[in-house]
């Protein structure tokens, strides 16, 4: 591709214009793609033309970002960085940026009737050390401890927004009510986005070339059916609405589910409750629990004053806390968006991200059991490069086939269908693949080393693993220290 580029550059302003037209017509005919090999060249040409006031690239791609949590902020940070190609708006229904990290005592709706989004509880500390949790290009501020309080994460996110000048692009207290595809621009779908000012309820319809859905996936509770639950007369709460243990003082409490929140909440509640039963179907038993926490199998049925478990044992209880996770929910998508949610699987998505039929629509952050912030960093840049043509997507059929292969691979590994977007150890190859497509730095191996080490420590000693801190020494080594008793 290089040979025809060089000569016209020497005869501005005609040169850049001819070059621009020539590149564009080749691009339209499918004879050239802006892949990574000549991206730097075309970027420098773009810059050169911009200096001469020549617009090489037609108009900029208009992107709507839904949500200003970590994913939406990460989208804004990369979009702002590439203002030659993109213009964008971030819509956030809450009054500040930070998503689920914006703790509130409220659990139902806010003063404008908007459902509370945050699932943070008062005492929450991260379950990932701050040395490996942040966006790869923006380290966490110095703190002695590695597992930091949620307020420190919010501070970090606000520093990020400030540092990259994101606030001017974010419309706070603006909810997205409706997203639908409308017609197309040169073969690409256009999007109508209806927003609502949550205070005045005034609605506005805007047009975009692409939509990034960053609405968070830990906000709409998943509540499994329990036979006879309507008879239970005790207190019932989902972890979404859990803020502190106080309501459980001196009670007998069943905590259903033993993932991160279930374990954290069981331990916290145990400090004030008489007895806690942590009910789960994990293959391995949890170790080193407080003395008043007993492990029991999953719940089979409820009665007026207690529960029967799958091994037919039963216990009296005064309260039940569902730590059963969350549902994917995109209430603003119209049926024309052709998005299907089957259990915990969102379809049809290529690389867990891009709608295969409407590839200017993406869903950031669906994979779970991951490092969320690095995940956003790679996913967002990948999507942007497909929008600006630097990365060419395969045909819809090829994308669907790859997606199905990925799903079948999981089933073959004995994962349930609900693990369609579960990553765990698969996240490292996923990140590396996206990084390589983008030609950007992979995460250094030490990140995985710390992640795996902490996962083992959590299993070994869930009550104390957060009292340790980590230092990344270099790409392949880290040190662990005890910071608090
Ligand atoms: P969110 O943070 O949920 O942000 C989504 C944003 O979209 C919100 O601000 C919401 O108001 C907005 N929004 C939603 N719908 C609309 C709409 N229609 N219009 C406009 N705005 C909308 N991750 C870690 O890395 N480390 C941890 O230790 C950790 N602990 C966690 C503990 C808990 C209890 C929970 C719930 C999550 C935890 N996570 C942790 C995961 C956490 O979800 C991610 O860190 C991160 O917040 C996800 O970012 P997000 O932007 O995708 O979603």
């Amino acid at each position: 591709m290089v040979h025809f580029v060089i000569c016209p550059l020497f005869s501005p302003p005609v040169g850049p214009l001819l070059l621009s037209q020539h590149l564009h017509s080749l691009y339209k005919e499918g004879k050239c793609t802006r892949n990574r090999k000549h991206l730097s060249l075309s970027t420098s040409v773009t810059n050169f033309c911009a200096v001469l006031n020549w617009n090489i690239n037609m108009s900029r791609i208009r992107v709507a970002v839904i949500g200003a949590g970590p994913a939406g902020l990460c989208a804004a940070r990369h979009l702002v960085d590439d203002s030659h190609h993109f213009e964008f708006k971030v819509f956030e229904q809450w009054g500040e940026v930070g998503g689920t990290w914006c703790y509130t005592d409220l659990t139902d709706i806010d003063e404008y009737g908007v459902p509370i989004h945050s699932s943070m509880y008062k005492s929450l500390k991260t379950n990932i050390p701050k040395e490996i949790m942040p966006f790869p290009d923006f380290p966490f501020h110095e703190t002695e401890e590695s597992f930091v309080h949620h307020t420190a994460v919010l501070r970090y996110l606000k520093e990020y927004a400030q540092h990259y000048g994101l606030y001017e692009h974010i419309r706070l207290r603006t909810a997205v009510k409706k997203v639908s595809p409308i017609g197309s621009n040169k073969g690409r779908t256009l999007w109508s986005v209806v927003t609502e000012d949550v205070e005045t309820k005034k609605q506005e319809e805007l047009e975009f070339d692409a939509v990034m859905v960053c609405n968070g996936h830990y906000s709409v509770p998943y509540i499994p059916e329990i036979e006879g639950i309507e008879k239970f007369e005790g207190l019932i709460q989902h972890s979404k609405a859990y803020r502190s243990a106080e309501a459980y003082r001196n009670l007998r409490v069943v905590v259903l589910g033993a993932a991160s929140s279930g374990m954290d909440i069981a331990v916290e509640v145990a400090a004030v409750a008489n007895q806690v039963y942590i009910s789960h179907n994990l293959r391995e038993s949890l170790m080193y629990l407080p003395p008043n926490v007993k492990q029991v199998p999953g719940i089979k049925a409820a009665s007026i004053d207690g529960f029967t478990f799958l091994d037919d044992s039963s216990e009296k209880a005064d309260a039940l806390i569902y730590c059963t996770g969350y549902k994917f929910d995109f209430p603003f998508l119209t049926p024309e968006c052709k998005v299907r949610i089957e259990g915990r699987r969102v379809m049809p998505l290529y690389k867990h991200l891009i709608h295969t039929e409407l590839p200017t629509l993406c869903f950031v952050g669906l994979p779970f059991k991951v490092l969320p912030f690095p995940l956003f960093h790679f996913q967002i840049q990948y999507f942007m490069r497909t929008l600006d043509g630097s990365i060419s997507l395969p045909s819809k059929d090829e994308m669907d086939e790859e997606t199905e292969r990925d799903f079948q691979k999981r089933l073959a590994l004995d994962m349930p269908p609900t693990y369609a977007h579960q990553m765990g150890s698969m996240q490292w190859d996923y990140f590396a693949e996206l990084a390589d497509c983008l030609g950007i730095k992979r995460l250094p191996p030490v990140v995985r080393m710390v992640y795996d080490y902490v996962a083992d420590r959590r299993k070994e000693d869930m009550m104390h693993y957060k009292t340790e801190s980590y230092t990344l020494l270099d790409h392949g080594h880290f040190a662990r220290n005890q910071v608090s008793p």
Side-chain angles (χ1 to χ4, degrees):
M1 299 307 304
V2 176
H3 64 281
F4 70 85
V5 172
I6 304 298
C7 310
L9 268 179
F10 292 108
S11 53
V14 181
L17 181 61
L18 290 176
L19 169 64
S20 144
Q21 287 169 345
H22 190 47
L23 276 174
H24 185 55
S25 58
L26 284 173
Y27 178 57
K28 270 187 19 191
E29 288 163 29
K31 290 183 184 159
C32 94
T33 57
R34 291 187 58 221
N35 64 33
R36 230 43 220 180
K37 287 192 189 105
H38 60 267
L39 182 64
S40 58
L41 176 62
S42 48
T43 303
S44 63
V45 169
T46 308
N47 291 341
F48 180 60
C49 294
V51 169
L52 292 169
N53 240 350
W54 288 97
N55 187 0
I56 190 169
N57 237 353
M58 309 149 292
S59 52
R60 294 188 297 172
I61 301 163
R62 300 161 301 169
V63 184
V65 179
I66 304 173
L73 292 176
C74 183
R77 175 255 179 278
H78 290 285
L79 287 162
V80 101
D81 214 30
D82 194 359
S83 54
H84 276 315
H85 294 107
F86 297 97
E87 59 183 86
F88 69 98
K89 272 271 165 280
V90 183
F91 303 105
E92 170 53 56
Q93 64 190 7
W94 189 242
E96 59 177 327
V97 304
T100 201
W101 298 97
C102 297
Y103 173 84
T104 167
D105 286 331
L106 299 174
T107 55
D108 187 14
I109 51 170
D110 70 8
E111 68 262 49
Y112 305 109
V114 178
I116 295 300
H117 181 85
S118 179
S119 306
M120 280 296 128
Y121 41 93
K122 242 181 202 156
S123 68
L124 185 132
K125 287 187 170 187
T126 60
N127 54 17
I128 299 173
K130 68 154 201 316
E131 288 71 24
I132 61 166
M133 181 173 148
F135 300 115
D137 50 5
F138 196 76
F140 218 91
H141 51 265
E142 277 302 314
T143 59
E144 194 192 349
E145 48 189 5
S146 282
F147 299 92
V148 297
H149 189 244
H150 61 76
T151 46
V153 181
L154 184 61
R155 180 183 144 198
Y156 165 83
L157 292 168
K158 288 183 171 175
E159 284 167 2
Y160 182 79
Q162 195 72 48
H163 179 82
Y164 291 108
L166 308 183
Y167 282 103
E168 64 182 278
H169 301 276
I170 300 170
R171 281 204 208 161
L172 296 174
R173 293 245 174 260
T174 306
V176 169
K177 301 304 272 187
K178 198 165 129 187
V179 172
S180 41
I182 39 157
S184 73
N185 177 16
K186 299 181 185 123
R188 280 195 153 180
T189 307
L190 290 175
W191 295 93
S192 152
V193 173
V194 177
T195 64
E196 182 176 279
D197 180 314
V198 302
E199 294 179 34
T200 63
K201 308 293 174 212
K202 193 173 157 242
Q203 294 205 346
E204 190 180 1
E205 181 174 6
L206 300 158
E207 187 185 284
F208 291 93
D209 301 303
V211 177
M212 290 194 197
V213 178
C214 301
N215 67 329
H217 312 301
Y218 298 91
S219 189
V220 179
Y222 168 70
I223 298 189
E225 274 180 33
I226 296 177
E227 191 193 315
I229 192 66
E230 67 291 345
K231 294 185 214 145
F232 181 62
E233 289 182 346
L235 190 65
I236 297 183
Q237 193 175 48
H238 187 276
S239 59
K240 157 85 201 258
Y242 175 88
R243 294 293 183 260
S244 78
E246 204 39 52
Y248 300 99
R249 186 168 290 280
N250 302 329
L251 301 186
R252 294 162 297 177
V253 184
V254 172
V255 173
L256 178 59
S260 313
S261 296
M263 294 206 292
D264 271 4
I265 290 174
V267 171
E268 183 166 284
V269 167
V272 297
N274 281 346
Q275 178 69 46
V276 173
Y277 300 98
I278 181 158
S279 164
H280 68 81
N281 294 323
L282 299 178
R283 286 182 198 145
E284 291 169 35
S285 293
L286 306 168
M287 289 192 278
Y288 300 112
L289 295 169
N292 62 340
V293 177
K294 181 177 167 194
Q295 296 181 71
V296 289
I299 296 177
K300 188 172 175 187
S303 62
I304 295 180
D305 57 358
F307 296 90
T308 305
F309 303 99
L310 290 172
D311 62 357
D312 285 327
S313 64
S314 46
E315 299 287 357
K316 299 268 183 233
D318 309 298
L320 169 67
I321 308 178
Y322 287 103
C323 294
T324 41
Y326 296 89
K327 294 193 283 195
F328 292 126
D329 190 41
F330 311 104
F332 41 79
L333 298 183
T334 60
E336 291 73 37
C337 296
K338 298 182 191 166
V339 172
R340 306 192 305 282
I341 305 177
E342 292 179 5
R344 289 279 295 157
R345 188 179 184 198
V346 182
M347 300 166 76
L349 295 188
Y350 179 59
K351 296 197 187 297
H352 307 271
L353 176 68
I354 298 175
H355 195 303
T356 62
E357 198 173 334
L358 301 165
T360 48
L361 173 65
C362 84
F363 296 80
V364 182
L366 294 184
F368 57 98
K369 289 212 176 153
V370 290
L371 284 176
F373 292 19
L375 170 79
F376 306 153
H377 170 84
F378 292 118
Q379 284 193 322
I380 281 157
Q381 293 185 75
Y382 184 84
F383 180 61
M384 284 171 60
R385 297 289 79 89
T386 67
L387 291 179
D388 72 14
S390 311
I391 290 174
S392 304
L393 287 172
S395 68
K396 176 190 173 311
D397 286 350
E398 286 166 332
M399 290 195 277
D400 286 337
E401 279 161 23
E402 186 184 312
T403 303
E404 191 51 29
R405 273 199 302 279
D406 180 82
F407 184 58
Q408 292 303 330
K409 186 175 88 185
R410 286 157 195 275
L411 298 184
L413 289 169
D414 232 8
M415 293 178 166
T418 47
Y419 278 27
H421 301 296
Q422 202 252 36
M423 286 287 171
S425 60
M426 292 180 188
Q427 70 183 303
W428 314 112
D429 283 348
Y430 179 75
F431 293 164
E433 185 197 349
L434 296 186
D436 292 352
C437 288
L438 290 162
I440 62 172
K441 265 201 241 166
R442 290 179 174 198
L443 293 180
V446 68
V447 171
R448 180 181 185 166
M449 290 163 69
V450 173
Y451 184 91
D452 290 344
Y453 189 87
V454 168
D456 286 345
R457 289 291 300 135
R458 190 183 300 125
K459 268 191 227 147
E460 280 165 20
D461 192 355
M462 62 181 277
M463 285 175 66
H464 300 108
Y465 79 94
K466 292 188 185 180
T467 62
E468 296 160 352
S469 80
Y470 293 84
T471 310
L472 308 189
L473 299 173
D474 59 34
H475 276 210
H477 298 89
F478 66 91
R480 176 172 68 105
N481 308 298
Q482 187 69 40
V483 282
S484 50

